[in-house]
Amino acid sequence: MTVRPEGALAPLPVRRVETARRAAPPVVEPAVAEFRPAAGETPSFFVWTLGCQMNQSDSEEMAGQLLAVGCERATSLELADLIVINTCAVREHAEAKVIGRQGRLAELKKARPGLRVVLTGCGVRESERSGLARRFPAIDMFLRPDEEPELALRLGLVSAQAPIGLRTAATAATTMVSGRAVSAADRLAPSRATALAEGRVARSSTISAWLPIVYGCDKTCTYCIVPFSRGPERSRPFDDILAEARGIAATGIAELTLLGQNVNSYGHDLPAEERFGHIRTKRSSGRKLDLAGRPDLAELLRSIDSISGSGGQPAIPRLRFITSHPWDLSDRLIDAMAECPSVCEHLHLPIQSGDDDMLGRMGRQYTVEHYRERLARIRQAVPGIAVSTDVIVGFCGETEAQFQSTLSVMEELRFDTVFAAAYSPRPGTPALRLADDVPAAVKRRRLNELLARQESIGLERNREWLGREVEVLVERITPRKRAAADEDDLADDPSLRVPSLYGAAGEGSVALAGRTRHNKLVHLSGDPTLVGRAVTVLIEFAGPFALRGRVVSESAGPGRVGPGRAAAPTS
Ligand code: SAM
Ligand code: SF4
Ligand code: F3S
C-alpha cells in the first residue's frame, strides 16, 4: 500500500533513461598525466575505504585493477605512491572525516611530490563536480562510483596492449527527477564479469566474499544521498552472478554475501525471459513494477544454494544478502529463505521510523503495519530468525510523540540489532525542502535514549542463546589490545567480566571472534589455526552486542537442524 500522509513530500518522479554510447577513450586527467611510471617502475598504492559493504567490494575491484597493471600494495597510507580514498557520504560526519584529512594529505604531497591521491565513492557526485576541487584540495582526480572501473586507465597505467576490459564502451543510465538529471552512472554491468575473468578482483578475505548483484538505488527516501551518488538501479545479468558464485564456491569460501542498496529489488530492470516465466511477483508496496518473467532475488538464492559440494550439500555453506527494503520483501523471497539450507537465519530490514507520518515524510512508501506484517511472515517462515534494522531519529518535523512511537515499535518488534543515527541533511536531497527543525541537542538525546533502550532489548535477545551450542565461523584473531575492549561489550553485569581470552583455552590459545549463522558476534578462545573454520561453541555469556563461548567441537554443527534451519530460540 502506498502511504502519503498529509504534509509528506510527494514521491520523487524518478525515471531512468538509458542510452548506449561509446565511451572511455583513455582519458588521462591533467593532474595525473605525469603519473605514468617510467618503464619497469610500478607505483605502490593504498586504498582507504569508508562506508558500507558496497564500498568494500568496490575497493576490492580497484585494488585488483591496480595489481593487474603491476602496482604493489603499500602497507600504510604514508608509504604509498598512490592513495585511493573510497568515500561515504551518507551523513555529513562521513564526508567530514575525509575533508579533515586534507591537511595531512597536503603535507604528505609536499614531502613527496610524486604522491597522487584519487577520491572515489559516494562523495563524488556529478551534480557537485565543479565544487569538489575546492572541498578536497589535496585530491588529484575524482571518480564517481560507476567510473571506478576506469581507475587504472585514467591514471595512465594501462598500456595500448591492456586487456580490452579496461578500455571499454559504456552504457549511460541517468536518474531524472522532475525532468532534471540528478545522477548518472555509466558503469557497464558486464565490467565486473570482465574484471573477474581477467583476475582483476582482489578479494580481501579467504573466508567470506562479497558479490554485488545490483548497483544504485531507485527508491524515494527523501533524506538519502545514495540515489544521487550511485545512480539508478542496475541489476547484473543472472548468469554472470551465478558464474561468479560458482567461482567463489570453487575456492572453498565459507560465506557469500550478495550486495546491493536494495538487494531484494534485484532483476526488475532486466529483460523478461521464458526461463523465468514462473515468476509473477507483484510488489505489495511502493511504485508498481512489472516483475513478471524477470529473475528475482529468490531465484538467485535458490540457484546459488543448489551449487553443490562434493557431499551434495551446498558448496557455499552460508549465504547472506544485504540490504533489503520492506517494499520488496516478497513471499517468494521469504519462501526461498525458509527452504534454502545455505541461506542464513538473519535479515537486515531497515524500518527507519515507527510512525507512519514520519515514514511518509521520509518517502519510505510503507506503513508500520506493512513492516509488521512482513516481519511476522518471515518470523513464522524462519523461526528464530535474527532481525536487524536501521533507524533515523530527529528527521524533519519529528515530534516527541512520533519518536516515542519508534521506541514502542522497537519494544514490540524486538530487533536483535539496531543501527541508529541522527538525521543529517544531505546536499541535493528532497528533504532539504523540509525544515531540519529538531534541535541538535534533542536529536542527540533521542539517539542516546533509543540506543539505551535497544541495549536492553539486545541483551535480552542475546540471553536466549545462553547454554546453546551454535556453529561459529571463526573470522579473526582479536589482538590483545582489542580483547580487553571487547570484554566491555559483553559485560552488562560486572560479574560477567572475564579474564583475557588469551590462554583461556590452553597454552598458545588466543582470543578469536566469529559469527553465528544468525550473525551474532561470538568471542572465544582457541588455537589460531581455527581461523576460517566453522566450529561448535557452547554459549556461556551474553552481552548486549556479543556472545562469548567455549569451543566444544572443532567441527561445524549443529549448523542446521531440521530442514535447513539452525537451532535457535523461537520468537
Ligand atoms: N538501502 C538501505 C535501506 O534503505 O533500506 C539503506 C542504505 S543507507 C546507505 C544506510 C542507512 O543510512 C539508512 O538505512 C539510513 O538509516 C541511514 N541514512 C541514510 N541517509 C541518512 C541521513 N541523511 N541521515 C542519517 N542517516 C541516514
Ligand atoms: Fe537510501 Fe532509501 Fe535507497 Fe536505502 S532505499 S539507499 S535509504 S534511498
Ligand atoms: Fe556510504 Fe555510499 Fe555506502 S553513502 S553507506 S558508501 S552507498
Side-chain angles (χ1 to χ4, degrees):
M1 184 174 57
T2 303
V3 194
R4 195 173 346 136
E6 219 146 289
L9 285 180
L12 291 178
V14 176
R15 192 161 63 84
R16 301 158 49 84
V17 175
E18 292 208 3
T19 46
R21 70 172 204 207
R22 285 219 54 84
V27 197
V28 179
E29 313 247 328
V32 290
E34 70 276 26
F35 191 63
R36 294 168 201 237
E41 266 182 42
T42 52
S44 63
F45 71 91
F46 186 88
V47 184
W48 176 26
T49 308
L50 298 109
C52 63
Q53 295 91 340
M54 196 55 119
N55 264 16
Q56 291 175 28
S57 169
D58 289 345
S59 288
E60 291 183 342
E61 259 189 63
M62 287 191 282
Q65 262 185 66
L66 294 170
L67 291 168
V69 293
C71 301
E72 283 172 15
R73 279 187 199 274
T75 49
S76 74
L77 187 136
E78 278 74 16
L79 294 175
D81 302 316
L82 167 67
I83 298 171
V84 179
I85 308 176
N86 197 358
T87 57
C88 173
V90 76
R91 285 176 283 276
E92 193 184 358
H93 175 70
E95 282 195 307
K97 265 192 207 168
V98 177
I99 293 172
R101 290 290 274 273
Q102 295 303 294
R104 176 71 185 130
L105 290 170
E107 276 168 27
L108 287 174
K109 288 179 86 169
K110 206 164 157 199
R112 298 177 40 223
L115 172 65
R116 291 292 176 267
V117 189
V118 176
L119 195 90
T120 71
C122 295
V124 183
R125 293 177 292 280
E126 202 51 45
S127 54
E128 293 161 49
R129 201 176 264 275
S130 57
L132 286 172
R134 185 181 39 77
R135 292 174 63 217
F136 301 100
I139 305 299
D140 299 292
M141 185 168 85
F142 297 95
L143 287 180
R144 292 191 318 250
D146 62 291
E147 292 173 330
E148 289 165 5
E150 293 168 18
L151 171 68
L153 183 77
R154 298 233 195 152
L155 283 167
L157 294 171
V158 180
S159 72
Q161 290 77 38
I164 193 73
L166 285 171
R167 320 165 53 81
T168 186
T171 300
T174 309
T175 300
M176 307 290 287
V177 175
S178 310
R180 196 169 61 88
V182 294
S183 71
D186 296 343
R187 186 174 191 141
L188 189 70
S191 74
R192 170 86 181 181
T194 315
L196 285 159
E198 291 168 359
R200 284 190 280 106
V201 177
R203 296 198 190 275
S204 50
S205 164
T206 51
I207 302 168
S208 307
W210 308 120
L211 198 171
I213 65 168
V214 50
Y215 299 106
C217 180
D218 279 358
K219 298 295 190 286
T220 57
C221 310
T222 53
Y223 52 79
C224 185
I225 201 147
V226 173
F228 302 87
S229 53
R230 290 199 168 256
E233 282 171 5
R234 288 146 288 141
S235 300
R236 286 180 64 201
F238 190 82
D239 295 332
D240 283 8
I241 297 170
L242 264 192
E244 184 169 347
R246 283 198 195 95
I248 289 168
T251 67
I253 263 178
E255 185 175 76
L256 173 62
T257 304
L258 307 180
L259 295 181
Q261 285 312 324
N262 290 291
V263 80
N264 57 354
S265 69
Y266 170 77
H268 71 82
D269 54 329
L270 292 175
E273 286 182 59
E274 217 176 301
R275 61 178 164 152
F276 301 121
H278 56 285
I279 300 176
R280 298 179 211 286
T281 320
K282 282 201 181 97
R283 256 189 185 161
S284 51
S285 178
R287 191 157 46 94
K288 295 287 174 280
L289 289 174
D290 177 10
L291 303 172
R294 292 166 171 81
D296 62 2
L297 179 60
E299 197 75 1
L300 260 184
L301 293 181
R302 289 185 189 277
S303 300
I304 297 174
D305 181 72
S306 67
I307 303 171
S308 49
S310 49
Q313 77 289 16
I316 303 169
R318 292 182 174 200
L319 183 53
R320 302 185 187 276
F321 53 90
I322 193 164
T323 295
S324 297
H325 192 290
W327 276 11
D328 295 310
L329 189 62
S330 65
D331 287 348
R332 264 180 62 78
L333 176 57
I334 293 175
D335 292 346
M337 291 180 73
E339 289 162 24
C340 295
S342 64
V343 176
C344 289
E345 297 84 348
H346 169 242
L347 177 70
H348 184 63
L349 192 65
I351 187 168
Q352 310 299 359
S353 169
D355 179 272
D356 284 348
D357 278 355
M358 291 313 296
L359 288 174
R361 216 172 267 209
M362 288 175 165
R364 292 291 286 182
Q365 305 226 23
Y366 54 80
T367 54
V368 173
E369 188 46 37
H370 172 80
Y371 188 99
R372 194 179 270 129
E373 184 276 325
R374 291 288 81 191
L375 196 61
R377 172 86 174 77
I378 189 126
R379 281 181 164 158
Q380 183 190 33
V382 186
I385 189 169
V387 181
S388 52
T389 199
D390 292 347
V391 172
I392 298 178
V393 299
F395 183 62
C396 310
E398 186 188 62
T399 62
E400 195 57 33
Q402 287 170 326
F403 169 65
Q404 292 299 329
S405 300
T406 300
L407 293 185
S408 319
V409 167
M410 278 171 51
E411 287 287 354
E412 174 200 337
L413 300 181
R414 314 204 72 70
F415 297 107
D416 289 83
T417 310
V418 174
F419 299 93
Y423 169 58
S424 165
R426 304 310 294 129
T429 54
L432 291 191
R433 287 186 270 144
L434 301 170
D436 175 24
D437 52 1
V438 179
V442 175
K443 284 182 185 172
R444 238 185 343 265
R445 196 257 301 149
R446 287 182 189 169
L447 183 60
N448 289 339
E449 197 176 325
L450 183 144
L451 292 174
R453 190 74 65 96
Q454 177 55 30
E455 198 168 315
S456 39
I457 298 171
L459 180 60
E460 269 173 42
R461 303 255 348 145
N462 282 350
R463 281 192 174 142
E464 292 167 19
W465 290 92
L466 284 171
R468 289 170 181 269
E469 289 187 6
V470 290
E471 180 195 281
V472 175
L473 177 61
V474 183
E475 290 169 0
R476 60 179 163 90
I477 297 174
T478 311
R480 242 174 233 279
K481 257 205 284 184
R482 275 283 310 271
D486 284 338
E487 279 176 15
D488 289 344
D489 274 2
L490 286 167
D492 61 302
D493 167 348
S495 68
L496 292 186
R497 283 182 193 268
V498 283
S500 165
L501 288 161
Y502 274 80
E507 204 178 324
S509 64
V510 295
L512 299 168
R515 289 198 179 257
T516 67
R517 289 174 56 87
H518 292 73
N519 209 32
K520 297 282 175 188
L521 176 63
V522 181
H523 296 289
L524 51 133
S525 177
D527 194 86
T529 55
L530 292 183
V531 173
R533 288 174 54 186
V535 296
T536 306
V537 172
L538 173 67
I539 301 301
E540 297 178 319
F541 298 108
F545 311 112
L547 304 170
R548 178 181 165 138
R550 178 164 52 86
V551 178
V552 291
S553 162
E554 291 192 3
S555 55
R560 285 162 229 114
V561 172
R565 297 273 66 89
T570 45
S571 56

